[in-house]
């Protein structure tokens, strides 16, 4: 008896789940714009440009080691650290460590921004070159570009 009840509950749950799930889809006859897949590289360029801007802004404004540099090249924060240390304050050493760690981290972030910017600029250029090469190689009998939908037929 318990087994029959369990099977009945499972079938009811399956029925409820099937009536609740609905998928949004295109009509069976196709729909869409009728165009082939178009991939634009604008997103890559935009992210690469933003990474370059971030690099430039950080490079200008976040370098506390060189800010307010004196004739010896020591920034105002390092000058303050040296003054504190000369008067026996342990805060001077801590401030030097802070500037050292900050500078190290800043260099890492700057390198990452430069890498992202350069890589995305390269990727954008390379993908454009690849698209042009593929378009030159894959042509129909009449010399026109072969649509992706026709290329797909070769893989069936």
């Amino acid at each position: 008896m318990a087994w029959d009840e369990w099977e009945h509950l499972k079938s009811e749950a399956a029925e409820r789940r099937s009536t609740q799930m609905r998928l949004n889809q295109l009509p069976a006859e196709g729909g869409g714009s009728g165009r082939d897949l178009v991939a634009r590289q604008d997103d890559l360029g935009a992210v690469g440009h933003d990474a370059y801007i971030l690099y430039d802004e950080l490079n200008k404004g976040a370098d506390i080691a060189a800010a307010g540099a004196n004739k010896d090249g020591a920034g105002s924060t390092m000058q303050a650290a040296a003054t504190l240390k000369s008067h026996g304050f342990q805060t001077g050493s801590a401030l030097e460590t802070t500037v050292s760690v900050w500078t190290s981290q800043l260099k890492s972030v700057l390198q990452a921004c430069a890498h992202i910017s350069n890589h995305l600029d390269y990727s954008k250029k390379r993908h454009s070159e690849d698209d042009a090469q593929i378009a030159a190689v894959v042509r129909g009998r009449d010399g026109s570009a072969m649509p992706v939908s026709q290329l797909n037929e070769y893989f069936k």
Side-chain angles (χ1 to χ4, degrees):
M1 182 80 158
W3 185 259
D4 292 335
E5 184 179 0
W6 173 247
E7 289 299 321
H8 178 70
L9 290 171
K10 282 185 3 184
S11 66
E12 283 180 359
E15 287 174 18
R16 280 194 307 271
R17 189 176 323 135
S18 67
T19 59
Q20 292 174 351
M21 182 188 280
R22 305 217 189 273
L23 297 176
N24 293 330
Q25 60 186 20
L26 291 173
E29 66 273 358
S33 65
R35 295 184 295 176
D36 283 328
L37 175 65
V38 177
R40 294 189 174 85
Q41 306 304 327
D42 296 341
D43 293 338
L44 293 177
V47 173
H49 180 70
D50 288 346
Y52 174 77
I53 290 171
L54 179 59
Y55 173 90
D56 196 40
E57 293 296 319
L58 281 173
N59 199 28
K60 288 177 189 172
D63 186 8
I64 63 172
N70 62 11
K71 61 182 177 172
D72 298 328
S76 59
T77 306
M78 290 303 281
Q79 292 172 38
T83 302
L84 288 168
K85 277 177 62 175
S86 70
H87 287 68
F89 291 103
Q90 292 179 349
T91 307
S93 295
L95 191 54
E96 280 181 348
T97 302
T98 302
V99 170
S100 175
V101 171
W102 175 266
T103 302
S104 172
Q105 295 297 317
L106 177 63
K107 286 179 182 178
S108 296
V109 172
L110 288 172
Q111 286 175 347
C113 288
H115 180 73
I116 291 167
S117 177
N118 291 340
H119 180 73
L120 291 176
D121 287 344
Y122 171 80
S123 296
K124 179 181 175 184
K125 181 179 181 236
R126 183 67 198 164
H127 287 307
S128 295
E129 291 170 358
D130 289 346
D131 288 347
Q133 182 182 6
I134 291 168
V137 171
V138 181
R139 297 273 179 201
R141 290 183 193 153
D142 62 355
S144 64
M146 190 178 292
V148 174
S149 57
Q150 188 176 354
L151 287 172
N152 193 34
E153 294 298 319
Y154 289 108
F155 298 104
K156 289 184 179 179

